[in-house]
Amino acid sequence: MARIFCVANQKGGVGKTTTTVNLAAGLAKVGQRVLMVDLDPQGNATMGSGVDKRQLELSVYDVLLESASVSEARISSEKCGYDVLGANRELAGAEVELVDVERRERRLKQALLAVSDQYDFVLIDCPPSLSMLTLNGLCCAHGVIVPMQCEYFALEGLTDLVNTIKQVHANLNKDLAIIGLLRVMFDPRITLQQQVSDQLKAHFGEKVFNTVIPRNVRLAEAPSYGLPGVVFDPAAKGSQAFIEFAQEMVDRIQKIS
Ligand code: ADP
Ligand code: MG
């Protein structure tokens, strides 16, 4: 059975997509079978995995509307080493189209069941909002990975996210937990970032991943080549950190299961 993780944070531009595609590639590198699900209509995780969102014949949109199965809609990204259930602008319409549907927040969960034994990990890249799309992600996940920048307002935003996750846990998905907070775009030379990082560890203890993802320009360049940094330049500091993070995830899963 695959372990399913959402990469979520209500804020935009905090590194969700970068984390999703690089963790997917990192997990593939350490021998895991991975499906990456793009739940953001921007389709950045799709493009960043070498799949052209404009050419998708079937996407996660069709899966949510039950006009296609995951096996029909997924694409294998050979360069990246994992499968992609892609997204494009069409997905923005799903929200409205699902309004009158029963159990609409469980559509993705239901669909993933059919392929669950084919993967070790399913990673879901969430949009920067608490929409029906994010809810679909949170409903099927065992855990949430929260990427965050160690900035002044980071902790405030976290309170909202933690409350949301508590509500989903109480009402929709008993399995859901924050698996961990991932410090990303980290610059140790900035004193404030060190301070926020220390605060995070004081508040959340074990929930803070040991691995820290540094700010690294190669990670930012990689998407323009349609690749995760881990594939584009495996030797770069940021890529190395994501490979380390993948191993940390594998170790954490073994501990809790
Ligand atoms: P989100 O999905 O949360 O909106 P992204 O992953 O798209 O965030 O990241 C926002 C921007 O920051 C992108 O331009 C991305 O390339 C850049 N970025 C993300 N992580 C890093 C990093 N560790 N070092 C440098 N740039 C990064
Ligand atoms: Mg994104």
Side-chain angles (χ1 to χ4, degrees):
M1 287 285 274
R3 304 291 297 180
I4 306 177
F5 296 100
C6 277
V7 179
N9 188 324
Q10 277 118 316
K11 276 178 76 174
V14 291
K16 289 182 291 298
T17 299
T18 305
T19 298
T20 309
V21 299
N22 282 287
L23 177 58
L27 286 168
K29 259 193 200 281
V30 298
Q32 304 292 306
R33 299 167 302 164
V34 182
L35 172 68
M36 194 286 293
V37 180
D38 192 352
L39 263 190
D40 189 336
Q42 290 185 74
N44 293 343
T46 304
M47 296 296 276
S49 301
V51 175
D52 190 342
K53 63 180 177 184
R54 293 155 301 199
Q55 313 259 311
L56 288 175
E57 278 173 30
L58 293 168
S59 69
V60 69
Y61 169 82
D62 301 280
V63 170
L64 289 173
L65 290 177
E66 293 182 346
S67 55
S69 66
V70 175
S71 340
E72 287 165 338
R74 72 183 163 195
I75 290 169
S76 153
S77 173
E78 266 159 42
K79 274 185 281 180
C80 300
Y82 55 86
D83 288 352
V84 175
L85 181 54
N88 54 30
R89 286 177 57 196
E90 210 180 15
L91 181 59
E95 191 99 19
V96 177
E97 288 168 68
L98 287 172
V99 156
D100 289 328
V101 171
E102 248 180 76
R103 293 165 70 82
R104 60 189 172 193
E105 69 282 347
R106 297 189 203 267
R107 287 285 176 107
L108 186 61
K109 183 186 172 90
Q110 198 59 39
L112 285 174
L113 276 179
V115 295
S116 179
D117 59 348
Q118 298 168 28
Y119 299 101
D120 301 303
F121 284 88
V122 177
L123 300 180
I124 304 173
D125 188 32
C126 290
S129 62
L130 182 70
S131 56
M132 181 53 56
L133 294 171
T134 301
L135 214 51
N136 258 278
L138 293 177
C139 263
C140 52
H142 300 106
V144 186
I145 297 167
V146 184
M148 54 185 307
Q149 283 169 264
C150 290
E151 285 173 349
Y152 186 65
F153 289 115
L155 286 167
E156 257 175 60
L158 214 54
T159 316
D160 295 340
L161 186 62
V162 169
N163 286 336
T164 299
I165 291 168
K166 275 188 187 153
Q167 283 189 9
V168 174
H169 172 88
N171 301 307
L172 296 165
N173 177 4
K174 285 269 169 288
D175 292 338
L176 189 67
I178 291 188
I179 172 106
L181 306 173
L182 179 66
R183 291 162 287 173
V184 298
M185 298 189 225
F186 194 75
D187 185 343
R189 293 166 303 182
I190 301 175
T191 312
L192 176 66
Q193 293 208 358
Q194 281 291 2
Q195 287 168 349
V196 174
S197 172
D198 291 343
Q199 277 179 342
L200 267 185
K201 277 195 279 189
H203 264 80
F204 292 95
E206 291 268 284
K207 291 271 180 198
V208 182
F209 286 110
N210 294 328
T211 311
V212 177
I213 309 297
R215 185 171 281 286
N216 178 214
V217 69
R218 299 301 270 171
L219 291 175
E221 287 168 353
S224 61
Y225 297 87
L227 293 172
V230 164
V231 178
F232 172 62
D233 184 355
K237 276 215 169 83
S239 308
Q240 289 293 315
F242 271 114
I243 294 167
E244 205 176 293
F245 177 48
Q247 193 56 55
E248 186 178 357
M249 276 298 289
V250 171
D251 295 344
R252 262 197 198 211
I253 299 321
Q254 274 164 359
K255 260 190 227 155
I256 56 179
S257 53

